[in-house]
């Protein structure tokens, strides 16, 4: 980038690609954060298969998230990702207990992925791809990246790759929800959770590894 704003970026990231990789890793909480996000769904699905009892499945699922939270607190590490997981299962539990239908545990997640996919698609069409704001969070200027057409194109490709897992989840899970397939929904959520996210991130890393767009440039 040939702007003075980009020269203010932290020295830890010499390239745009490195900055985006670092921000994505931070946002997902690394391997541990990804696993913590999957644990409550694994316990809910396992208990549902074993008991077909909604209340028991929810209690075990929430309890697993609480245990992970206590471990985080005991280790004095950030509980952010466990709290996100606990919030997600809590909202799902509210939906399911209100309707009495176990499949509604998965409804908030389907809504979330659908909305997220639409927002990212709109950002791409509007040529303000969401990934660009990750760069802005590094440089301290949320919009300076938009003045570089090459960066806009790069961020658009990355936003597509970030959007595709959300779209796949909706396309796969929504028909299962309509068909009342609770066990299949749980398995699909696990399979399309962190494995799909890792695949999407691997594709993003591949795209990023091909480029060396410097953040630090002398001011004009």
């Amino acid at each position: 980038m040939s702007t003075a704003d980009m020269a203010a970026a932290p020295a830890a990231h010499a390239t745009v690609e490195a900055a985006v990789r670092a921000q994505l890793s931070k946002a997902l909480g690394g391997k541990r954060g990804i696993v913590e996000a999957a644990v409550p769904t694994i316990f809910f699905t396992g208990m549902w298969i074993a008991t077909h009892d909604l209340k028991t499945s929810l209690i075990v699922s929430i309890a697993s998230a609480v245990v992970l939270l206590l471990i985080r607190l005991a280790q004095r590490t950030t509980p952010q990702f466990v709290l996100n997981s606990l919030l997600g299962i809590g909202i799902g539990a509210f939906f399911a207990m209100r309707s009495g239908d176990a499949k509604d545990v998965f409804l908030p997640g389907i809504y979330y992925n659908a909305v997220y996919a639409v927002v990212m698609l709109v950002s791409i069409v509007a040529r303000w791809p969401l990934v660009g704001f990750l760069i802005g969070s590094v440089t301290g200027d949320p919009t300076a990246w938009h003045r570089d057409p090459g960066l806009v194109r790069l961020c658009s490709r990355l936003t597509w790759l970030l959007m595709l897992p959300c779209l796949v989840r909706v396309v796969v899970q929504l028909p299962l929800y309509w068909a009342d397939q609770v066990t299949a929904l749980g398995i699909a959520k696990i399979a399309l959770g962190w494995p799909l996210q890792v695949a999407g991130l691997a594709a993003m890393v591949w795209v990023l590894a091909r480029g060396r767009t410097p953040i630090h440039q002398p001011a004009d």
Side-chain angles (χ1 to χ4, degrees), residues 135-203:
I135 297 172
S137 69
V138 171
T139 64
D141 186 329
T143 61
W145 60 273
H146 193 258
R147 296 195 284 271
D148 187 326
L151 270 180
V152 173
R153 288 192 295 271
L154 171 63
C155 292
S156 292
R157 290 196 294 270
L158 294 173
T159 304
W160 273 112
L161 292 173
L162 198 60
M163 182 191 77
L164 284 176
C166 297
L167 188 60
V168 169
R169 290 178 191 124
V170 174
V171 169
V172 172
Q173 291 183 66
L174 195 56
L176 294 175
Y177 176 83
W178 287 333
D180 299 323
Q181 298 296 314
V182 177
T183 300
L185 270 169
I187 294 171
K189 183 168 183 177
I190 296 166
L192 300 177
W194 66 264
L196 186 60
Q197 197 68 48
V198 167
L201 289 175

Side-chain angles (χ1 to χ4, degrees), residues 16-106:
V16 169
E17 289 79 11
V20 174
R21 286 196 299 268
Q23 291 297 95
L24 287 172
S25 178
K26 181 180 178 182
L28 290 171
K31 295 178 181 178
R32 182 173 178 178
I34 292 171
V35 170
E36 288 171 340
V39 164
T41 300
I42 293 172
F43 273 89
F44 176 85
T45 304
M47 287 304 299
W48 175 260
I49 293 172
T51 68
H52 276 73
D53 183 271
L54 174 59
K55 187 175 180 180
T56 300
S57 301
L58 288 173
I59 289 173
V60 171
S61 178
I62 293 171
S64 70
V66 171
V67 169
L68 292 175
L69 177 60
L70 292 174
I71 292 172
R72 281 283 194 175
L73 293 175
Q75 295 175 339
R76 296 185 178 180
T77 55
T78 177
Q80 173 189 345
F81 305 102
V82 179
L83 289 174
N84 290 344
S85 176
L86 190 57
L87 177 63
I89 194 65
I91 294 172
F94 171 77
F95 273 67
M97 292 303 293
R98 186 181 64 174
S99 67
D101 197 332
K103 71 176 183 178
D104 285 340
V105 168
F106 304 97

Side-chain angles (χ1 to χ4, degrees), residues 111-122 163-164 166-167 170:
Y111 283 155
Y112 171 83
N113 281 282
V115 170
Y116 201 33
V118 169
V119 169
M120 284 192 284
L121 179 59
V122 169
M163 182 191 77
L164 284 176
C166 297
L167 188 60
V170 174

